Amino acid sequence: MRHAHRVEVVRAAEGELMARLPEGTLMQRAAAGLAATCARLLVRRRGRVYGGRVVVLAGSGDNGGDALYAGAALARRGARVSAVLLTPARAHAAGLAALRAAGGRVVPDQEVGLADFSRADLVLDGIVGIGGRGGLRPEAQPYARAGRAGVVVAVDVPSGVDADTGEVAGVALRADVTVCFGTYKPGLLIDPGASYAGAVQLVGIGLDLPPAGVTALQHADVAGLLPVPGAESDKYRRGVVGVAAGSARYPGAALLAVAGALRGGAGAVRYVGTAAEEVVRRFPEALVTEGGPAGAGRVQAWVVGPGGGEGAERALAEALAADVPVLVDADGLTELARLGPDALAGRTAPTLLTPHTGEAARLLAGAGDPAARPPAADGLAATRLATARRLAAAYRATVLLKGSTTVVADPGGAVRVNPTGTSWLATAGSGDVLAGLAGSLLAAGLSPLDAASAAAYLHGLAARHAAAAPGAPVTALEVAGALSAAWNDVRSTEGADRSTGRPPREQEVGPADSPLRSAAGRAR
């Protein structure tokens, strides 16, 4: 599992550690790990470090110091290192002295700096550190817009990206690789910031950190959550998931939700709705009725809303009256937004909401949030971490906020982000498959946080399987069909993590590790 901590938590841990270490030790650890990664990238790119053209973009403060010290280490290995000082009067003095002592040079002006930047084999982005807010300052913006031939490596966080939230409030410098120190930062895992970070590598520097506020599952974590039948299991012990979906206008939503539910680990799927005939024809193993949830028989969880149309109001009311977990999606969310949080106030069983940003805007407006009128959906997409947390708090429910980064938040404050998503999932019906899958995991006994997180992970991985390399358009039904392959993938403890091409357990690299041996780092 990847753990991400807020800047204030990191700063406190750094302060405690620096008080016990000789001055400068922590920066030297970070710079050594950064230099090792850069050396490995240069070797991959051109076969050796010696003679490689490296540009250090150094802002003020410790972030610039990390970059300058790393540049000095590369210069000692024969790289041709030049430094661009964005704020010369505030450059890190010791780091700058180390760079010059190692043979590095400082460019005389920005014009020369931009020319060096454009033709460098590797650029170190040390402009703004994790404490930065807002976009790049005017003097740094030309580097974000300039063409480049080499690899850009961000120091701890891409400059212009908010480390806590992933928000990009202006111009930011897009990285190919981000080397972060001590712990991941939430903004490296959540779009839009994650799309600026490239592959992210963690370098350990010895921080003693509390439990993380934001986490991201990996293969081994999901494998440990998935329900596996035992010798005494039968279909009822494994759980029965009820699906109330589809309408005369949207019968396909019922088929897709049931398709996802059948591959989610529950022992049986009980469908209610107007598409019963179509469902049993396509999936003869499904139990069907044309009534509503109240008369459907015993289930361990309900999925309500996909393509529900005008029947969503009744289906939602009957499902919420049952003392079992309920997943609310699509038309069910529209109805819940009309009713507001009071509709969930008397429930003792958990509720899982699965909105996209447009539905999130309606839900927040229904909760009386003045900043979340429906036209605010684009703004919510850019602040998805805060949006998911606000929704979970307002409705006292677990929220799976769909989007380029799917964020799962529970009312207790825990947040998980999903690393397996792909843009091929932006297709009609994929959310119906996800709803059925997550509902089935709820019925099999997973908590809403675990069910939502595991479902999003499998859903994204299935889309990658269905699209295949290098990627092609897929349908929602093809994603459902690939869920078994995704399930098998995560349960295999041998081999690479196919969501990223990396081993299933991520290794934290220390500054002394050889750049040629290091296996850490993981693309989104």
Side-chain angles (χ1 to χ4, degrees):
M1 186 179 291
R2 294 195 288 178
H3 301 266
H5 293 80
R6 290 178 55 83
V7 170
E8 63 181 357
V9 176
V10 175
R11 293 296 195 212
E14 288 176 341
E16 291 176 3
L17 183 58
M18 285 190 290
R20 304 195 303 268
L21 295 174
E23 184 177 356
T25 300
L26 203 60
M27 181 173 287
Q28 292 295 339
R29 288 180 181 178
L34 177 61
T37 298
C38 292
R40 173 168 54 87
L41 291 169
L42 285 169
V43 169
R44 287 183 179 177
R45 180 175 178 83
R46 56 188 309 278
R48 59 181 182 174
V49 175
Y50 187 86
R53 291 176 293 191
V54 176
V55 170
V56 177
L57 301 178
S60 60
D62 290 348
N63 190 256
D66 293 334
L68 290 167
Y69 274 121
L74 295 171
R76 288 193 293 271
R77 293 187 59 174
R80 293 178 290 171
V81 182
S82 59
V84 179
L85 306 180
L86 279 302
T87 52
R90 298 168 59 197
H92 193 278
L96 183 56
L99 179 74
R100 284 180 162 142
R105 69 184 183 95
V106 176
V107 300
D109 55 50
Q110 295 297 316
E111 186 175 342
V112 174
L114 279 168
D116 285 357
F117 173 89
S118 297
R119 61 174 177 260
D121 296 305
L122 185 143
V123 175
L124 272 166
D125 168 18
I127 303 172
V128 182
I130 60 176
R133 293 291 183 271
L136 290 173
R137 302 296 182 262
E139 64 271 15
Q141 291 181 11
Y143 295 94
R145 300 189 177 105
R148 63 207 203 187
V151 177
V152 174
V153 179
V155 180
D156 223 2
V157 65
S159 294
V161 171
D162 189 301
D164 280 341
T165 67
E167 296 173 28
V168 178
V171 178
L173 181 54
R174 195 175 299 273
D176 300 292
V177 176
T178 296
V179 177
C180 58
F181 306 128
T183 181
Y184 293 98
K185 314 308 183 290
L188 299 177
L189 306 181
I190 300 168
D191 277 334
S195 66
Y196 282 81
V200 180
Q201 175 169 313
L202 176 63
V203 169
I205 56 174
L207 299 183
D208 185 12
L209 292 158
V214 176
T215 58
L217 299 181
Q218 295 178 278
H219 264 40
D221 307 306
V222 178
L225 294 175
L226 296 182
V228 179
E232 299 300 318
S233 296
D234 59 35
K235 62 186 178 184
Y236 297 109
R237 287 190 178 96
R238 291 180 61 192
V240 179
V241 57
V243 176
S247 60
R249 187 176 181 184
Y250 302 114
L255 294 170
L256 293 168
V258 169
L262 286 168
R263 292 168 175 85
V269 176
R270 191 183 298 279
Y271 171 78
V272 299
T274 60
E277 185 175 338
E278 291 92 338
V279 167
V280 78
R281 185 184 301 118
R282 181 68 176 82
F283 303 110
E285 61 270 50
L287 312 172
V288 301
T289 177
E290 294 186 357
R298 184 180 177 187
V299 300
Q300 277 71 50
W302 275 107
V303 174
V304 180
E310 294 179 356
E313 180 179 356
R314 173 192 171 191
L316 179 64
E318 292 183 3
L320 291 178
D323 191 25
V324 298
V326 175
L327 182 152
V328 187
D329 185 48
D331 290 327
L333 293 171
T334 299
E335 175 62 17
L336 182 60
R338 185 184 69 81
L339 298 170
D342 287 348
L344 307 180
R347 283 183 54 75
T348 55
T351 308
L352 171 59
L353 312 181
T354 58
H356 54 59
T357 51
E359 291 160 342
R362 290 193 288 274
L363 286 165
L364 286 171
D369 190 322
R373 305 277 184 249
D378 289 344
L380 297 183
T383 58
R384 58 184 63 251
L385 179 60
T387 297
R389 282 178 163 150
R390 282 159 59 200
L391 268 175
Y395 284 83
R396 299 301 301 165
T398 301
V399 172
L400 185 158
L401 180 61
K402 295 178 282 195
S404 59
T405 302
T406 292
V407 178
V408 181
D410 76 8
V415 174
R416 288 182 184 160
V417 298
N418 181 53
T420 64
T422 166
S423 56
W424 292 120
L425 280 170
T427 187
S430 66
D432 303 331
V433 174
L434 176 62
L437 173 63
S440 189
L441 290 169
L442 280 174
L446 273 67
S447 71
L449 179 65
D450 287 342
S453 305
Y457 196 101
L458 289 171
H459 190 242
L461 193 56
R464 291 171 181 258
H465 276 279
V474 297
T475 67
L477 200 56
E478 288 170 334
V479 174
L483 285 171
S484 294
W487 189 290
N488 288 331
D489 199 354
V490 300
R491 291 204 64 225
S492 172
T493 56
E494 312 241 345
D497 176 339
R498 294 178 191 169
S499 72
T500 61
R502 298 286 179 182
R505 292 188 180 275
E506 186 163 356
Q507 171 187 341
E508 185 179 87
V509 178
D513 287 328
S514 162
L516 300 180
R517 289 199 310 267
S518 169
R522 186 173 181 223
R524 282 177 58 243

